[in-house]
Amino acid sequence: NLVEGLSTITLPDETLISVGGLRILSMRLDGEPLKAEIKGGEFKSPKGTLEIAYEGVFGTGDEREVLKRGLISEEGISLTGVWYPVIEGLGFYELTARLPEGFMAVSEADEILVLDGQHSFHFPHPVQGINLAAGRYTEVKESFNGVGIYGYFFPEDVHLASQYLEYTKGYLEMYEDLLGPYPYKRFSVVENVLSTGLSMPTFTLLGRRVVRLPFIVETSLGHEVLHQWFGNSVYVDYEKGNWVEAITSYLADHLYEENKARGWEYRKKILVDYSSYITPDNEITVKEFTQPQDPQTRTIGYGKGTMVFHMLKGLVGEDVFYASLRGFIRAREFQLATWQDLSEAFEKASGRKLEWFFTQWLEQKGTASFQIKDARITYFNGVPTVTFTVFQADEPYRFLLQVKILTDQGAVYERLEVEKESQYFEIPVKRGTVLEAVFDEDYDIMRTVTNEELPPVVSRLMGDEKRLVSVPGDAEKYADLIEVLEKQGFTVKNEEEINDTHIKDSSPLFLGIDNPFIERLFGGLDLPGPGFTLIVKDNPINPLRVVAVAHGDSKEEVTKAARKITRYGRYSLLRFEDGRNVKKEVERTERGVGFVLYEDYLGVQTEETFTLNKIIDRIVQKEVIYVGETHTDYEDHRLQLDVIRKLHQRGRKIAIGMEGFQRPSQKAIDDYMAGRITEKEFLKKTEYFKRWRIDYLLYREIINFAKSNSIPLVALNLRSEIVKKVSRGGFESLNEEEKKEIPREMDFSDEDYRERLKQIFKEHGRGAMNFESFYRTQILWDETMALSVDEFLKKNPGHQMVVLAGTGHVIYGSGIAKRVYRRNKKEYATLINGSRGVLEKDVADYVLFLRPLSPPPTPKLMVFLRETRGRVKVTGFPRRSISKEVGLKKGDVIISIGGEKINSREDVKIALFDRKPGEKVKVRVLRKRFLLGEKEFEFELTF
């Protein structure tokens, strides 16, 4: 266990020398004795030629200095620490070693010479340090592209050599294709007497237990081979951040999973680990990472660092990405390199300024965190368009966001540039029915995962700041596991001490499957098999945390598995038998941030359930189809549009009748449908905002679809002035001209309808109106709409009419349907939304169950207005008014919005209805000043 050495060092300048625990026998500088004060195992030597004679002992416990790292024994030699005087920085090394008889040795070398038991290692490049491994090896040799491939294995494991060398050739071929020529003349796979997984220039040092694991050739071996380019020929300047573990993890561990189409799972695990382990108290930046010291630093240095390179490749493209790395290697080979050097290489190859990228992801803590708001399908000129807003609550990040839009004809993908706190997007989808949208499905962004994506896994248990273990009365079986958990920071509590507060405020681990809390929280859990099992579940009391249970059949099973569970952070269920993992599962969670945008409607006819498509198949020949609505419920209008679309797709010659338009508006409607007037002129001429007042955006998609597909739009309703007059004074109050506008035929004999209306009147009340006035106006309304339907169908034979009216006018057929049938005996069908509990016999032909949908966002000034003599004055503001925030005041007279003149409240709505989220609009007002008259002011609003 003794090393003796003579080190001769040519020093061009004063240099720091580390000798660690070595015993210095003598030192000479330029041939003269040198006395140096060694503090903390270090001293500074002047420039010149320094000779140091030294020795070191490994772990004997005698009076001499004991070296803690490394081993010299009959089994083998492993020297990877301060086993010789180490200089600060890079140096050129020549090593000669005399070893016990029968030992073979490997060190950093392009050439190894053995003569009379003496090994000489020649390495022509500067390096940060050297290492030595030796043993009674069997050497196996092959070659690849002029590179000597060597295996040094102990006799009992030499059968593994051929597989290791074959895989090594595959890795060399792959990485030469990606990164350029292998930098050395030889590469060795060396079995180590100690349990290691290390890579040094020209060789990797794998522990005896490690090489025997069957998966190492497909995982760790490639990682160590890749280090020959990154870390072993381009060196890390640790003082400026460790970039090498990030790029190696990305192009090894991550790439191997990507090649198996599991890259998204690897990246999701990184994000889950970040959520599990990282808190504001323990977080560092990627640039601050130097060495992995715990799960937290590993998560940042390896995990977040991996995501940095993944996002960088997505930003510059794959070809530029690898060209940048090849240029980086050429520029910095056998030199120290930093993140700055990488940044410059990528800027040079891409021709783009990337300082923002590296600053954002290397020097900022945290992750991107965004929400998708108001995701919906909107129909612009008949084209289904997915619209949504990306909102970042904190300091906005800049990133590329992939959106997958799933349709019944396949998927559509879009990549969006996000960089603002709030950004509105529109994605037209020209083929198929849009079903759903999924954001960042493949986890291409270093972001905060949603609760729906976050599985209950071991890493969340181990990473919780408040984690405890509940110990049963008979704890002897779990003694070794409890010891491991205490070292991991768990608070140990006896089972009888645990209460609901502990479960709510922490992530508890219960020992024993029969724990009463497990039975109360989950109704008990089943074991997946014998041995030792660890199950992690979402915490039912606090979804931000987890609950775990560990159960072992015996103390031996627990002991053999106890120290292994922390290696399986990504799993929700683990089972071990005799210390060997035999089962590992992850509880399924959402992939990406998804939104269902369309669900086929279910309808009920007697005891049968149908999708909307099947309902359409059954009613497609009906001459009139009534689709009821609650005027302000967007899902009802979406159903109406889908009925219209599906009938149109089947080639039906349809027209649309709308309660929301009054009959005198028909010419303006026809002019707009024909393109003779604009949409704003259409709204102005129909007096939509004055006569109907329901948010126009709820109907706009239907109207635009009709216009885009030349579908007639029919005004069904009676002029509101007549309705009001009848409600107040009866039919007798109408003059002769007004009487011509109302139907001649009216049926007041439907007693069932009357009783239903009476109940509605009783429940909701109608102010000063009595029931009889209400009933009159309701019948007048129904009959007028029925007349409008009948008149159109008679004038336009061959058309099918889809009637859009309030549910009260549709249910039981009493409102409009039976009145149209009375006139023309045309077959009809009625459809309503049954989600509000309207499900009775004969209530409609089809009752559909609709998922509630939020309506399209309606831009608003957020002011109270009064219209007087052609002027619109601000009379006040609601809370958090955007107008008040930018400077509008009570008493201001609005004269224009977005350049459009304002003379009425209707003008305000017309000027605003087409504005999109995030759009800026200028509002001009007149403000009265004390003794100075009125003055114009201009303000800019952002919706």
Side-chain angles (χ1 to χ4, degrees):
N1 54 22
L2 173 68
V3 58
E4 295 177 304
L6 176 64
S7 180
T8 303
I9 314 172
T10 302
L11 301 170
D13 296 293
E14 183 182 64
T15 303
L16 183 68
I17 309 292
S18 297
V19 295
L22 295 173
R23 179 185 177 191
I24 305 303
L25 303 177
S26 67
M27 286 196 288
R28 302 177 72 86
L29 182 67
D30 294 331
E32 296 296 326
L34 174 66
K35 290 184 179 181
E37 184 179 3
I38 301 174
K39 290 184 178 181
E42 297 179 340
F43 71 95
K44 281 194 174 181
S45 171
K47 68 177 182 178
T49 300
L50 176 66
E51 291 183 349
I52 305 176
Y54 65 93
E55 67 178 17
V57 179
F58 291 86
T60 62
D62 62 15
E63 295 180 357
R64 290 182 290 183
E65 293 286 344
V66 176
L67 301 182
K68 304 296 184 183
R69 183 175 173 185
L71 177 71
I72 297 177
S73 71
E74 284 294 324
E75 287 188 89
I77 298 171
S78 180
L79 303 178
T80 58
V82 182
W83 59 277
Y84 65 94
V86 177
I87 66 168
E88 183 180 41
L90 298 175
F92 291 88
Y93 288 82
E94 291 283 347
L95 173 65
T96 301
R98 188 172 298 279
L99 303 164
E101 186 176 352
F103 273 55
M104 301 180 70
V106 179
S107 183
E108 288 81 357
D110 266 346
E111 184 180 11
I112 301 176
L113 299 176
V114 182
L115 183 63
D116 296 333
Q118 180 170 289
H119 288 64
S120 298
F121 303 90
H122 175 64
F123 194 64
H125 310 292
V127 70
Q128 291 174 297
I130 58 172
N131 305 272
L132 179 72
R136 302 184 189 280
Y137 293 134
T138 298
E139 180 189 80
V140 180
K141 178 184 177 183
E142 293 189 23
S143 64
F144 172 79
N145 286 352
V147 176
I149 312 290
Y150 295 82
Y152 294 90
F153 287 82
F154 295 115
E156 62 270 26
D157 294 322
V158 73
H159 64 281
L160 300 172
S162 60
Q163 184 185 35
Y164 270 86
L165 268 56
E166 195 62 32
Y167 269 88
T168 296
K169 289 190 286 186
Y171 289 123
L172 289 175
E173 182 177 23
M174 178 175 70
Y175 289 124
E176 283 195 341
D177 287 343
L178 295 177
L179 304 172
Y182 174 70
Y184 302 118
K185 295 180 180 179
R186 61 181 287 148
F187 179 78
S188 303
V189 180
V190 183
E191 186 175 5
N192 193 11
V193 67
L194 297 179
S195 182
T196 57
L198 301 172
S199 182
M200 297 82 166
T202 73
F203 72 105
T204 182
L205 193 56
L206 302 177
R208 180 181 291 174
R209 292 181 181 178
V210 175
V211 297
R212 295 170 182 172
L213 297 173
F215 56 83
I216 292 297
V217 291
E218 296 183 352
T219 55
S220 299
L221 177 62
H223 184 107
E224 308 305 342
V225 171
L226 178 58
H227 266 308
Q228 297 303 305
W229 281 266
F230 299 120
N232 290 339
S233 60
V234 179
Y235 307 126
V236 183
D237 186 343
Y238 288 99
E239 291 184 359
K240 297 181 180 179
N242 182 349
W243 52 268
V244 73
E245 298 301 346
I247 186 61
T248 308
S249 295
Y250 182 60
L251 291 183
D253 314 65
H254 169 270
L255 182 59
Y256 307 151
E257 292 301 299
E258 189 82 281
N259 290 340
K260 299 171 187 175
R262 296 201 299 254
W264 70 270
E265 294 182 48
Y266 188 97
R267 296 188 292 273
K268 182 176 182 178
K269 177 185 178 297
I270 290 174
L271 304 190
V272 170
D273 283 350
Y274 207 90
S275 177
S276 302
Y277 289 121
I278 305 305
T279 67
D281 292 335
N282 64 30
E283 186 172 22
I284 61 173
T285 67
V286 174
K287 201 168 184 178
E288 290 172 325
F289 168 74
T290 55
Q291 294 289 353
Q293 300 169 348
D294 48 41
Q296 290 76 24
T297 51
R298 179 175 288 272
T299 296
I300 292 170
Y302 289 69
K304 187 176 180 180
T306 291
M307 292 299 296
V308 170
F309 283 104
H310 183 69
M311 292 183 290
L312 185 56
K313 187 174 76 170
L315 180 65
V316 302
E318 186 169 314
D319 291 342
V320 172
F321 179 78
Y322 286 111
S324 301
L325 291 178
R326 289 191 290 270
F328 169 70
I329 291 169
R330 287 193 302 269
R332 304 304 302 175
E333 194 170 37
F334 307 120
Q335 301 174 61
L336 296 177
T338 66
W339 282 108
Q340 181 62 35
D341 297 319
L342 275 163
S343 175
E344 291 172 1
F346 275 89
E347 286 191 337
K348 182 178 180 180
S350 66
R352 301 169 65 175
K353 292 292 185 181
L354 297 173
E355 181 181 1
W356 68 267
F357 177 90
F358 286 94
T359 298
Q360 174 176 279
W361 294 112
L362 300 183
E363 299 179 20
Q364 289 182 206
K365 295 181 181 179
T367 65
S369 181
F370 63 85
Q371 293 177 296
I372 305 299
K373 293 191 173 183
D374 200 34
R376 64 175 65 248
I377 307 170
T378 304
Y379 286 81
F380 292 133
N381 298 320
V383 177
T385 304
V386 177
T387 64
F388 53 89
T389 298
V390 181
F391 178 74
Q392 300 186 70
D394 300 320
E395 185 69 24
Y397 276 71
R398 182 176 171 185
F399 55 86
L400 295 176
L401 175 62
Q402 185 186 77
V403 184
K404 171 187 173 183
I405 299 172
L406 186 64
T407 77
D408 59 357
Q409 296 184 22
V412 176
Y413 293 89
E414 291 283 341
R415 278 210 318 174
L416 310 175
E417 294 185 7
V418 178
E419 59 182 337
K420 299 177 182 177
E421 180 180 333
S422 181
Q423 279 180 261
Y424 172 78
F425 294 96
E426 298 176 355
I427 303 176
V429 182
K430 297 182 179 179
R431 293 180 55 195
T433 298
V434 175
L435 304 176
E436 61 182 284
V438 185
F439 298 83
D440 195 33
E441 179 184 50
D442 291 332
Y443 299 93
D444 296 318
I445 306 165
M446 187 68 205
R447 64 174 174 87
T448 303
V449 289
T450 64
N451 288 339
E452 292 75 19
E453 298 171 279
L454 195 59
V457 289
V458 174
S459 64
R460 289 180 64 192
L461 174 69
M462 297 296 176
D464 197 319
E465 289 182 285
K466 294 182 179 180
R467 50 195 184 274
L468 64 85
V469 55
S470 170
V471 179
D474 180 15
E476 177 58 28
K477 180 167 66 173
Y478 296 101
D480 290 318
L481 176 59
I482 294 169
E483 180 183 347
V484 169
L485 295 173
E486 281 188 293
K487 291 180 179 178
Q488 291 290 326
F490 279 73
T491 299
V492 179
K493 286 188 174 293
N494 293 326
E495 188 177 283
E496 58 270 18
E497 296 180 83
I498 303 297
N499 55 41
D500 286 348
T501 301
H502 291 122
I503 298 173
K504 179 182 178 182
D505 295 342
S506 66
S507 288
L509 168 60
F510 295 97
L511 302 180
I513 199 72
D514 55 352
N515 187 283
F517 272 103
I518 295 300
E519 294 178 356
R520 183 158 68 84
L521 291 171
F522 303 105
L525 296 173
D526 295 326
L527 291 171
F532 174 86
T533 296
L534 177 66
I535 302 171
V536 185
K537 306 285 287 183
D538 281 318
N539 190 326
I541 298 178
N542 184 346
L544 298 178
R545 293 192 147 101
V546 295
V547 171
V549 57
H551 182 87
D553 292 342
S554 65
K555 179 177 175 60
E556 290 72 22
E557 288 285 3
V558 174
T559 299
K560 289 180 179 179
R563 286 169 174 76
K564 297 183 178 181
I565 59 176
T566 57
R567 306 174 194 169
Y568 294 83
R570 64 183 292 185
Y571 297 102
S572 307
L573 183 148
L574 298 170
R575 185 167 75 86
F576 296 84
E577 287 187 25
D578 195 31
R580 182 173 58 89
N581 180 253
V582 294
K583 190 180 184 78
K584 52 189 178 184
E585 294 179 353
V586 182
E587 191 166 307
R588 292 179 64 87
T589 54
E590 294 294 328
R591 177 178 173 181
V593 182
F595 295 87
V596 175
L597 301 177
Y598 175 88
E599 288 181 324
D600 211 347
Y601 306 96
L602 295 180
V604 177
Q605 183 186 33
T606 63
E607 297 180 354
E608 294 184 68
T609 302
F610 306 88
T611 64
L612 181 59
N613 278 328
K614 289 184 178 179
I615 292 173
I616 295 297
D617 289 339
R618 293 197 169 204
I619 66 174
V620 68
Q621 298 302 325
K622 301 286 185 181
E623 292 168 284
V624 190
I625 297 172
Y626 301 89
V627 190
E629 66 180 57
T630 295
H631 303 314
T632 56
D633 286 359
Y634 184 57
E635 59 267 26
D636 290 7
H637 301 298
R638 178 49 53 85
L639 169 62
Q640 293 170 336
L641 175 58
D642 284 329
V643 170
I644 293 165
R645 288 177 54 245
K646 291 178 184 296
L647 290 170
H648 181 70
Q649 289 169 359
R650 284 164 169 76
R652 299 295 290 167
K653 192 176 182 181
I654 61 176
I656 302 170
M658 293 185 68
E659 177 190 9
F661 290 103
Q662 298 172 11
R663 286 162 62 95
S665 301
Q666 190 62 55
K667 184 179 186 307
I669 293 172
D670 293 341
D671 286 344
Y672 177 60
M673 292 290 113
R676 290 187 287 269
I677 60 175
T678 67
E679 190 173 29
K680 290 185 177 182
E681 290 172 323
F682 155 73
L683 292 172
K684 187 81 171 176
K685 290 185 176 183
T686 60
E687 298 183 298
Y688 178 88
F689 291 106
K690 183 183 295 184
R691 295 185 174 276
W692 190 235
R693 297 182 180 176
I694 305 298
D695 189 348
Y696 174 68
L697 295 183
L698 295 170
Y699 297 93
R700 188 186 189 199
E701 294 168 305
I702 296 171
I703 295 169
N704 282 349
F705 184 88
K707 183 176 185 294
S708 300
N709 292 281
S710 300
I711 296 172
L713 189 66
V714 181
L716 300 181
N717 219 334
L718 186 63
R719 188 160 55 94
S720 56
E721 291 86 346
I722 295 178
V723 176
K724 290 178 182 178
K725 202 168 184 179
V726 170
S727 71
R728 294 169 181 167
F731 296 107
E732 295 78 13
S733 63
L734 300 178
N735 61 39
E736 291 302 313
E737 290 300 315
E738 290 168 338
K739 287 179 181 178
K740 293 178 182 178
E741 293 188 48
I742 66 175
R744 291 178 60 187
E745 297 178 12
M746 295 190 200
D747 182 4
F748 287 82
S749 65
D750 189 339
E751 288 299 319
D752 289 340
Y753 188 37
R754 181 185 177 93
E755 289 303 311
R756 284 193 295 272
L757 290 177
K758 187 179 287 186
Q759 184 62 32
I760 292 171
F761 183 86
K762 182 179 178 181
E763 290 174 357
H764 299 283
R766 294 291 167 174
M769 182 188 293
N770 60 41
F771 173 72
E772 292 303 324
S773 295
F774 169 70
Y775 185 57
R776 270 198 311 269
T777 57
Q778 190 75 16
I779 296 299
L780 177 59
W781 220 332
D782 292 332
E783 292 283 6
T784 302
M785 289 192 283
L787 175 64
S788 300
V789 172
D790 181 55
E791 286 180 345
F792 179 87
L793 293 175
K794 286 177 178 175
K795 292 178 182 177
N796 300 274
H799 272 76
Q800 179 183 48
M801 171 78 79
V802 180
V803 176
L804 313 182
T807 300
H809 297 288
V810 173
I811 54 175
Y812 304 99
S814 300
I816 308 173
K818 290 179 181 179
R819 300 173 194 279
V820 174
Y821 187 80
R822 187 189 75 231
R823 285 175 164 82
N824 56 29
K825 300 297 185 288
K826 292 186 181 295
E827 293 293 326
Y828 66 88
T830 56
L831 288 75
I832 66 168
N833 180 358
S835 300
R836 301 176 195 88
V838 184
L839 186 58
E840 299 175 8
K841 187 177 184 294
D842 298 327
V843 68
D845 295 306
Y846 297 92
V847 178
L848 294 97
F849 300 93
L850 309 183
R851 178 171 59 90
L853 296 174
S854 58
T858 303
K860 295 179 180 178
L861 291 182
M862 300 183 71
V863 295
F864 299 125
L865 301 174
R866 184 175 68 236
E867 180 181 337
T868 307
R869 295 190 300 275
R871 302 186 99 191
V872 179
K873 181 181 288 188
V874 177
T875 61
F877 304 91
R879 293 180 61 191
R880 298 179 181 176
S881 167
I882 59 173
S883 293
K884 186 176 182 180
E885 288 178 357
V886 300
L888 267 73
K889 294 183 178 181
K890 182 178 179 180
D892 286 347
V893 175
I894 300 176
I895 56 176
S896 70
I897 299 175
E900 297 183 39
K901 189 175 181 181
I902 302 300
N903 296 114
S904 66
R905 295 172 66 178
E906 183 183 11
D907 291 338
V908 173
K909 293 183 178 181
I910 292 174
L912 293 178
F913 84 93
D914 201 30
R915 307 296 178 178
K916 293 182 171 57
E919 186 174 347
K920 297 182 185 300
V921 176
K922 292 183 178 179
V923 178
R924 296 187 65 81
V925 303
L926 283 177
R927 180 172 296 170
K928 189 175 182 179
R929 299 176 298 164
F930 182 69
L931 300 178
L932 296 176
E934 292 181 329
K935 181 180 178 181
E936 283 191 16
F937 291 85
E938 184 178 273
F939 303 92
E940 188 176 77
L941 299 179
T942 302
F943 294 108

